[in-house]
Amino acid sequence: MDLFLLSRGLMKNLGSVLLAMLLMPAACIQIPDIEAPPDEPDCSAVGEEPIGIQWVSPMEGAQVGSSARLQVHLTGDTPEAVDLLVDGTAVATLKEPFVLDWETQSVSEGPHAFVVRARRCGQESLSTQRQLVVDRTKPSLIAQTPQDGAQWVSVHQTVRAELSEPVVAGSVNNSTVRLLAGQREVSAEVSLSQDGRVLTLQPLEPLPVSEVMRVVFDPSVADTAGNPVSMPSQGWSWRVPAFLPLGNSQTLWPRVDFFSFQVDRGGTPLVARLGTETSGVQVERWNGGAWQSLGAPLQGSTGDPQATECVLHLDPSDTPHVAWVQPKLDGSVEIHVRRWSGSAWTALGAPVIPILTQASVTDLRMKVESYGGVPVIAFKERNASELRVTVFRFQAGEWRSNVGSGAQSVPNLTSLHLELNQLNEQILGWSRTEYGFPGWAIYIVRKAGGSELGYVPSRHAESPMMAMTVGGDNRIVVASPVQSNGSQSVLVQEVLFGAGTWERVGDTYDRVTGRTDASTTALKFDAQGRLIMLLEEPESEASSSVRSLFIQRWNTDHWEPLGGALSANPGATPVSQSQLGTDKNGRIFLAWSEADEQDATQSRLHVFRPND
């Protein structure tokens, strides 16, 4: 081609390009970066400095969890690619500095062969094979003490967890395994067994009562594969109540229709009970591990019907006395009284016969005088025309009645109480209705030197008196019902002997807020002179028939609760006939009957001791 024509053509094309550029609007022109082609490895000296691969971690035979951190060290020529092979299959690529966090979900649990491969210029270098065990299963609790949801746990309970597999010892300490009472931490010594499977928490102080305890694990508590301990979905918690049961009432006492409860000064509980097991009265004492019978069942003559009531009392030397109402085949009744000699029951005189003819007997009460050990009994008797309270005292080997108390020809008389003061004067209390007057009148009578002194804390109560006790400082204390905010509350009042004015002990009281009726079943002074009140009350308005127990102690100017709601089957069955006792140290013991959870017709006797 002619050189001139070529030059002319080039110039023409260049002019066209310049013209097009001039016609374009002014703008920034983005010119994409042009990547330089990768440097081709210099393969001329291939094989002169081979690639070396050394494992850094994990160690041979190590366990790895859902993620495995793999690290190798390379020497020699720079590789084109570095791959992870598991059981001969490439699963991932390692980039410099050749550390990889590999997710193990693509392989099964168990042992696998791990190899790292480096490639360069068509040649491969392999690491040594490292056998690793994939373990994605978390350690779990297979046994716990206490059990999750346990209701009756001692304040001295050692906490123990057995795991399905070992955890790393270095991960277990009192910062990673914690014992909590509510939200408060309880100091405990935390230890792990040699095999790494049993974890123990030994509290450094008694567990707080009326609290829900729980154990919390930090995620750092893990097995060698890094799997943290798996806790149950509901957690691990239990209850530490203020009181613990004595014995197994479900099997020991099939059904208890009536009982009386006492505690000696050393803290040993005793019960006298009536039930389907025997036609007589059975007295039993707790021996530290089981209930032990005191002699054979007590009953009247052969062929007599089942006793209807019994009462147990201890004299100042802790000698048991028991009395019971014994019906006869001819329709009459007797009251029998026995004293425990240490090996047998001894009758105290002949049976007591009611004063009224053809009378029925209820509300049997008994006390023993503080000096001389003389027993006194009181009961309510009535026939077709009369109703009265009768008191008998054991003198010179026979029972002698006092001048008749109570009232004749009244519509009703109930809630009988008998106490003895330090002078062994008899204090009687009862409630009765009166013709022409609404409500219930509460009467307290003190028999002193052959005369009677009356105290009337209320004449128009809406319900009968609930409880009464006498203090060592000559105080009479009574609990009576009052209406407050649409429900029944408890009013506690006291009066000194010789004084005529009743004073309130705090405000009217109920334990559960809302429209639930509270009632007091016992008042008692402990050995330290502190007033204790035992209440029965529904736990909620929604379950008004399910009544639980609540204990209060008067503290200078207010009632303080001792523990929370108490029943053998919380939230399930109602309690009744609740009674309390105290020992010389002021420890409180409780007894009550409660419907069986499976069979509501069966009433079980439950006895509880302090959780201390």
Side-chain angles (χ1 to χ4, degrees):
M1 180 181 290
D2 190 288
L3 181 61
F4 173 78
L5 292 175
L6 179 62
S7 302
R8 186 179 177 186
L10 288 171
M11 292 301 292
K12 183 178 179 180
N13 290 336
L14 180 59
S16 298
V17 171
L18 290 173
L19 179 61
M21 292 179 65
L22 289 172
L23 292 175
M24 291 177 62
C28 295
I29 301 174
Q30 298 284 336
I31 301 176
D33 294 334
I34 300 176
E35 292 187 7
D39 293 335
E40 292 293 331
D42 181 5
C43 297
S44 60
V46 64
E48 291 185 4
E49 191 178 356
I51 298 173
I53 307 173
Q54 291 82 38
W55 281 98
V56 176
S57 65
M59 301 295 291
E60 171 67 22
Q63 292 186 333
V64 295
S66 58
S67 178
R69 169 156 286 200
L70 309 170
Q71 183 176 3
V72 292
H73 177 66
L74 272 61
T75 58
D77 290 335
T78 302
E80 297 172 36
V82 179
D83 304 314
L84 171 65
L85 280 65
V86 179
D87 299 331
T89 301
V91 296
T93 300
L94 285 77
K95 301 292 186 181
E96 200 170 2
F98 309 116
V99 178
L100 174 66
D101 289 321
W102 181 64
E103 301 299 323
T104 67
Q105 278 76 11
S106 61
V107 298
S108 62
E109 290 190 288
H112 295 275
F114 285 68
V115 173
V116 175
R117 178 182 67 191
R119 290 176 289 143
R120 176 182 169 83
C121 298
Q123 294 187 354
E124 295 182 347
S125 297
L126 300 176
S127 71
T128 58
Q129 179 177 288
R130 184 144 289 189
Q131 191 88 353
L132 303 178
V133 178
V134 175
D135 175 14
R136 293 186 294 269
T137 302
K138 297 179 180 180
S140 59
L141 302 181
I142 59 174
Q144 303 145 259
T145 305
Q147 292 286 334
D148 180 52
Q151 293 291 318
W152 311 112
V153 178
S154 168
V155 296
H156 304 293
Q157 178 69 58
T158 297
V159 181
R160 185 177 180 273
E162 184 179 350
L163 304 174
S164 59
E165 58 180 289
V167 293
V168 177
S171 69
V172 175
N173 54 60
N174 58 7
S175 296
T176 59
V177 181
R178 297 184 298 147
L179 181 62
L180 301 179
Q183 298 301 317
R184 179 173 66 87
E185 189 160 347
V186 176
S187 298
E189 180 181 326
V190 180
S191 60
L192 186 67
S193 62
Q194 263 191 326
D195 64 3
R197 294 187 56 200
V198 179
L199 195 146
T200 303
L201 292 88
Q202 182 61 59
L204 301 180
E205 58 189 31
L207 299 177
V209 299
S210 302
E211 290 280 8
V212 174
M213 305 295 303
R214 57 195 178 100
V215 175
V216 176
F217 286 83
D218 189 83
S220 62
V221 181
D223 61 16
T224 55
N227 299 304
V229 173
S230 174
M231 294 293 286
S233 59
Q234 74 276 11
W236 177 18
S237 63
W238 63 91
R239 181 172 172 261
V240 180
F243 298 87
L244 291 176
L246 289 178
N248 186 347
S249 60
Q250 298 295 323
T251 57
L252 180 62
W253 297 315
R255 192 182 85 190
V256 175
D257 297 322
F258 199 95
F259 76 94
S260 181
F261 176 67
Q262 291 282 293
V263 177
D264 69 21
R265 290 175 299 170
T268 299
L270 298 93
V271 295
R273 60 183 178 86
L274 300 171
T276 57
E277 187 178 325
T278 175
S279 61
V281 181
Q282 181 67 66
V283 182
E284 291 163 316
R285 178 165 51 197
W286 180 253
N287 65 10
W291 289 99
Q292 182 179 26
S293 297
L294 291 187
L298 299 169
Q299 50 194 4
S301 304
T302 302
D304 280 350
Q306 167 75 52
T308 57
E309 290 187 21
C310 63
V311 59
L312 175 68
H313 192 73
L314 304 179
D315 69 12
S317 64
D318 284 334
T319 299
H321 292 64
V322 65
W324 72 92
V325 178
Q326 181 63 65
K328 308 298 287 183
L329 290 175
D330 62 3
S332 63
V333 294
E334 301 172 340
I335 296 96
H336 294 251
V337 184
R338 300 283 190 272
R339 175 189 288 141
W340 181 248
S341 68
S343 59
W345 291 102
T346 302
L348 296 182
V352 176
I353 306 300
I355 293 176
L356 300 179
T357 58
Q358 297 181 328
S360 63
V361 170
T362 58
D363 294 49
L364 177 63
R365 307 288 183 257
M366 178 171 61
K367 298 293 180 181
V368 180
E369 294 178 359
S370 57
Y371 53 87
V374 176
V376 178
I377 62 172
F379 51 88
K380 184 175 71 176
E381 56 175 307
R382 74 182 307 162
N383 60 15
S385 58
E386 295 184 48
L387 170 64
R388 58 175 289 154
V389 174
T390 302
V391 179
F392 280 84
R393 184 173 181 269
F394 193 62
Q395 295 177 273
E398 63 180 16
W399 291 96
R400 300 178 183 177
S401 66
N402 292 349
V403 177
S405 300
Q408 296 182 1
S409 301
V410 296
N412 207 346
L413 186 153
T414 189
S415 191
L416 175 63
H417 296 272
L418 169 67
E419 297 287 343
L420 301 177
N421 64 16
Q422 288 185 321
L423 301 176
N424 287 327
E425 296 172 334
Q426 299 162 17
I427 315 296
L428 289 166
W430 63 84
S431 296
R432 76 181 192 189
T433 56
E434 298 177 331
Y435 291 112
F437 293 93
W440 291 82
I442 299 174
Y443 286 88
I444 310 295
V445 174
R446 176 164 64 102
K447 294 182 175 295
S451 61
E452 293 186 357
L453 303 175
Y455 304 85
V456 183
S458 174
R459 287 191 180 276
H460 305 292
E462 295 190 16
S463 301
M465 175 176 60
M466 299 170 174
M468 182 183 82
T469 191
V470 175
D473 56 356
N474 289 330
R475 277 187 295 168
I476 303 174
V477 184
V478 300
S480 56
V482 293
Q483 289 296 311
S484 176
N485 299 322
S487 64
Q488 179 177 283
S489 297
V490 175
L491 172 62
V492 180
Q493 300 176 84
E494 65 180 8
V495 66
L496 290 174
F497 293 163
T501 304
W502 287 86
E503 303 289 343
R504 288 185 173 217
V505 181
D507 295 327
T508 58
Y509 186 86
D510 56 1
R511 181 68 174 82
V512 180
T513 56
R515 301 179 65 85
T516 55
D517 289 341
S519 60
T520 298
T521 59
L523 286 171
K524 190 176 183 66
F525 286 99
D526 65 16
Q528 288 71 39
R530 298 173 295 187
L531 181 61
I532 301 166
M533 177 167 57
L534 178 62
L535 298 102
E536 289 183 7
E537 188 171 358
E539 294 181 29
S540 67
E541 293 182 48
S543 301
S544 59
S545 64
V546 179
R547 301 175 68 83
S548 294
L549 300 179
F550 299 90
I551 305 169
Q552 309 294 317
R553 184 165 58 199
W554 181 249
N555 185 358
T556 307
D557 60 358
H558 68 280
W559 291 103
E560 60 178 0
L562 301 181
L566 185 61
S567 65
N569 301 307
T573 52
V575 303
S576 61
Q577 300 186 62
S578 53
Q579 302 174 35
L580 69 83
T582 62
D583 65 10
K584 63 182 179 182
N585 297 315
R587 300 168 71 233
I588 300 171
F589 296 77
L590 298 169
W592 70 86
S593 61
E594 184 170 349
D596 184 77
E597 196 169 9
Q598 279 72 45
D599 183 359
T601 65
Q602 300 296 310
S603 182
R604 308 290 188 184
L605 173 59
H606 300 270
V607 180
F608 276 59
R609 67 168 177 84
N611 190 358
D612 56 7

